[in-house]
Structures are given as C-alpha cells and as structure tokens.
C-alpha cells in the first residue's frame, strides 16, 4: 500500500493531534489535509494547528490544507476519522467522496463501532448491523466495512483553544483488521503512523481491545457527565467508585457472552483507574461545551448487546436513562 495522500476527517482533539504529528513528520513524503469546522477550522487556516505534547516545552505548529468541504479534496490513499460515533452517519457522504479503489479508513472510535460484527467469527452474529449506530446502513453502504481498520486510542486530548490541542499523556493506539488478518495494509499504516512519532501496536483481536477500553468508557464517561467530576474525584468517592465497578462487571459479562477475552480483572482495572489523574472525560468535555453527548456507542450499545446476548445490565441501563435525559436538557439549554 502506497500512502501519498492522507486526510484526517474530524480534526478535533484526537484527530487534530494525529494530523499535526503526521504533517510534521511525513509532510515531505505525503500530503496531509484535515476536515474541520467553525472557529477551529478558521484558526487552523490562519495560524496553523498547534499541539502541546505532554512532555514538550514548546508546542508543535504545522500548516496544512484545511477545509469544511471534503469534496474540494482529491481522493485519498488513507482517511483517518476523528469523529465520535454519533457524528459519523451525517459524515458518510463526505467520507465517501474521499474514497477510491484501495483507500483504507482508520476509524478511531470509543465504544462499539458500526462495523463491529463484520467478519466476526466469535459471537455468532457475523455481519449484524445496528440502526442505532448506522441509520439506514449509510456507513455500511457508502464507506463499507471492508475498508475499515479499527483503532482504539489510549490518548487524553483536549482542544484548549481554536486551533490548539493539548495532550495529557504519552498515549498509544492499537490498530486491527476486523477480520483479524495481519494484512500488508495494516503493516503499512502502522509503519506510517509510527514514523510520525505515534506509539502504535497492531493486533489480530481488535474486538478484545474495544471491550477492554469500553470497560472504562462505559463507566467513567456517563458518570463524569452526571456528576461533573474528574476521574480522580470519581475514584475517591466510595459510592461512585463502587458504581464504576458494577458497570465494569456488566461490560465484562456482555463482552464475554459475545466471545471477547479480557486480560485484566475488574480489581486491576479499578486500581489502574486510581492513578490516571484529574482527567476530564470526553463526555464531560462535550457536556461543558454544550455539545451532543456520545451515548449510544458507549452505554446504549452495552444495553443493546446485553439484550442480544441475554446478559442483564441493570446498572448500565439506569445510567443510560439518566445520561440520555441529561443530554436532552443540555441540548435545550445550548
């Protein structure tokens, strides 16, 4: 796979960070563009994209092609999406306009992705689609799950000002084909992203990685939004930390019912969470910013897959009802 044209579709906190690092390291060998919008887009156009890395004294600043209309860009060799689950379906046509024969799409998503059951051999539900994640099958039809390379990100990032992103840690990214193949495309994309200074691992079991991260996301994201608490405060509160553990247990039960394998116990995951720091989850960031919350992939699908696999998820369903109402009120207020 030859990668000469790269577009990051959705250059917010995480997508923008990847775009900045790619443009800084591979700009002479490949063209890097971003699709963004609003004040963030205008700042990128006028001042460039600035990235404050966790261990850097001065920010990295890059200038690259930025647009809110993907149809002004040529077809790409590689598209990397930084959009959240609820932002993807409206962007299906825009992403599709960037595709040509052989284009691969790296989808960085929290929670259960729309392509989850494509070529899945463990759950017994291969090729199952969910309208909640992909209304009318637009993503499945216009992009196609066969183009997707899954990506699970362990990287804290936040847009602190338009055109300016801060990373809270030295993160890592795990890439994998839905089929489990360690394909030449997967290797080429991993090599490219590694050359840009990103910490990349590849796996034949991307679904296991999805469930492992969901164990934290399904608990901390909605609870942080409901309480306005950062992760250290959640873990310091006995009632909230116990609720986190209950959600994690439900995630593990549903995941195992669908064939997922977990390498950490609940107790190990809780202990790890106590040392993450005063992190504002992405859902809390969106709540404070008056944006729509990413509910369905994180906790809505946990409840839906619980029903599919006949696995009870009572705590998660209660949290789902509460955070859904919070999102409605937040959207009315904004």
């Amino acid at each position: 796979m030859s990668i000469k044209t790269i577009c990051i579709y959705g250059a917010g906190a995480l997508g923008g960070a990847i775009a900045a690092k790619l443009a800084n390291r591979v700009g002479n060998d490949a063209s890097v563009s971003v699709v963004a919008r609003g004040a963030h887009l205008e700042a990128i156009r006028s001042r460039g994209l600035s990235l404050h890395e966790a261990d850097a004294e001065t920010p990295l600043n890059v200038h690259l092609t930025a647009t809110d209309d993907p149809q002004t860009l040529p077809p790409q060799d590689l598209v990397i999406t930084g959009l959240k689950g609820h932002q993807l379906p409206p962007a299906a046509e825009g992403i599709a306009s960037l595709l040509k024969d052989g284009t691969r799409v790296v989808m960085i998503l929290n929670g259960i992705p729309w392509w989850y059951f494509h070529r899945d051999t463990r759950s017994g539900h291969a090729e199952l689609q969910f309208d909640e994640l992909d209304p009318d099958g637009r993503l499945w039809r216009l992009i196609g799950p066969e183009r997707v390379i899954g990506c699970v990100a362990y990287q804290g990032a936040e847009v602190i000002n338009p055109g300016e992103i801060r990373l809270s840690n030295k993160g890592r990214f795990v890439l994998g084909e839905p089929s489990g193949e360690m394909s030449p495309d997967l290797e080429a994309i991993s090599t490219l992203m590694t050359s840009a200074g990103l910490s990349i691992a590849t796996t034949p079991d991307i679904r296991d990685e999805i469930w492992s991260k969901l164990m934290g996301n399904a608990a901390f994201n909605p609870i942080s939004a409901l309480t306005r608490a950062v992760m250290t405060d959640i873990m310091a509160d006995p009632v909230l930390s116990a609720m986190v553990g209950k959600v994690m247990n439900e995630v593990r039960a549903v995941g195992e019912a669908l064939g997922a394998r977990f390498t950490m116990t609940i107790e190990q995951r809780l202990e790890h969470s106590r040392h993450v720091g005063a992190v504002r989850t992405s859902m809390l960031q969106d709540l404070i910013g008056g944006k729509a919350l990413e509910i369905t992939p994180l906790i809505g699908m946990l409840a839906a897959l619980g029903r599919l696999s006949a696995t009870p998820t009572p705590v998660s369903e209660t949290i789902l009802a509460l955070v859904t109402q919070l999102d409605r009120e937040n959207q009315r207020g904004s």
Side-chain angles (χ1 to χ4, degrees):
M1 180 184 186
S2 176
I3 305 174
K4 298 296 183 183
T5 51
I6 307 161
C7 179
I8 289 76
Y9 201 113
L14 201 53
I18 292 171
K21 291 178 78 69
L22 281 170
N24 182 57
R25 296 289 182 92
V26 303
N28 294 329
D29 300 317
S31 66
V32 180
S33 58
V34 299
V35 175
R37 61 184 181 179
H40 192 54
L41 170 62
E42 294 309 314
I44 295 171
R45 282 173 165 168
S46 61
R47 301 190 299 274
L49 182 58
S50 292
L51 176 65
H52 300 262
E53 297 191 70
D55 58 351
E57 294 182 4
T58 58
L60 169 68
N61 183 265
V62 298
H63 291 266
L64 36 64
T65 301
T67 181
D68 58 0
D69 182 1
Q71 296 192 31
T72 64
L73 300 172
Q76 304 286 303
D77 296 318
L78 175 64
V79 176
I80 301 173
T81 65
L83 299 174
K84 293 176 179 166
H86 60 286
Q87 298 169 328
L88 270 174
E93 289 185 359
I95 297 170
S97 73
L98 298 171
L99 306 179
K100 61 181 179 179
D101 288 347
T103 301
R104 298 304 303 264
V105 183
V106 173
M107 292 208 149
I108 307 169
L109 287 172
N110 282 332
I112 303 299
W114 60 273
W115 52 264
Y116 181 87
F117 288 107
H118 176 58
R119 300 191 67 178
D120 174 31
T121 60
R122 290 194 209 158
S123 69
H125 300 287
E127 310 310 317
L128 180 65
Q129 300 178 49
F130 276 87
D131 198 59
E132 301 98 308
L133 295 171
D134 185 15
D136 301 319
R138 291 172 59 77
L139 295 164
W140 200 282
R141 185 175 68 255
L142 295 176
I143 297 171
E146 69 280 357
R147 292 186 184 271
V148 170
I149 287 180
C151 178
V152 176
Y154 297 92
Q155 175 66 75
E158 188 171 355
V159 177
I160 54 176
N161 290 300
E164 193 173 359
I165 295 163
R166 176 178 292 142
L167 303 182
S168 62
N169 64 324
K170 292 194 70 172
R172 63 186 180 93
F173 300 82
V174 183
L175 305 180
E177 294 269 13
S179 65
E181 297 172 274
M182 302 301 283
S183 67
D185 284 357
L186 180 62
E187 181 180 356
I189 293 167
S190 172
T191 299
L192 171 79
M193 296 178 74
T194 300
S195 73
L198 296 160
S199 177
I200 303 294
T202 57
T203 178
D205 299 307
I206 191 64
R207 291 177 188 82
D208 290 351
E209 204 70 40
I210 287 169
W211 281 101
S212 178
K213 190 174 185 196
L214 184 62
M215 190 182 286
N217 283 151
F220 284 108
N221 273 270
I223 290 173
S224 71
L226 290 164
T227 61
R228 299 343 190 243
V230 297
M231 285 183 62
T232 47
D233 293 338
I234 292 171
M235 291 308 297
D237 184 296
V239 175
L240 294 180
S241 62
M243 188 175 296
V244 166
K246 290 176 181 178
V247 175
M248 287 183 174
N249 271 298
E250 291 182 356
V251 171
R252 183 169 186 135
V254 175
E256 289 179 339
L258 294 172
R261 295 170 293 208
F262 294 81
T263 58
M264 293 179 70
T265 66
I266 303 298
E267 292 73 21
Q268 289 171 328
R269 191 57 185 268
L270 287 169
E271 181 60 27
H272 171 76
S273 299
R274 291 186 178 93
H275 302 286
V276 170
V279 173
R280 290 197 300 184
T281 69
S282 58
M283 192 177 287
L284 179 56
Q285 292 177 37
D286 286 344
L287 179 71
I288 293 169
K291 299 177 182 177
L293 305 184
E294 187 180 24
I295 296 172
T296 300
L298 299 187
I299 192 123
M301 285 307 298
L302 177 60
L305 294 178
R307 292 190 293 271
L308 178 71
S309 61
T311 307
T313 57
V315 177
S316 299
E317 289 178 35
T318 300
I319 292 174
L320 172 62
L322 293 172
V323 80
T324 299
Q325 183 60 30
L326 173 66
D327 187 41
R328 291 195 192 106
E329 294 301 321
N330 193 50
Q331 291 303 298
R332 288 194 192 108
S334 62

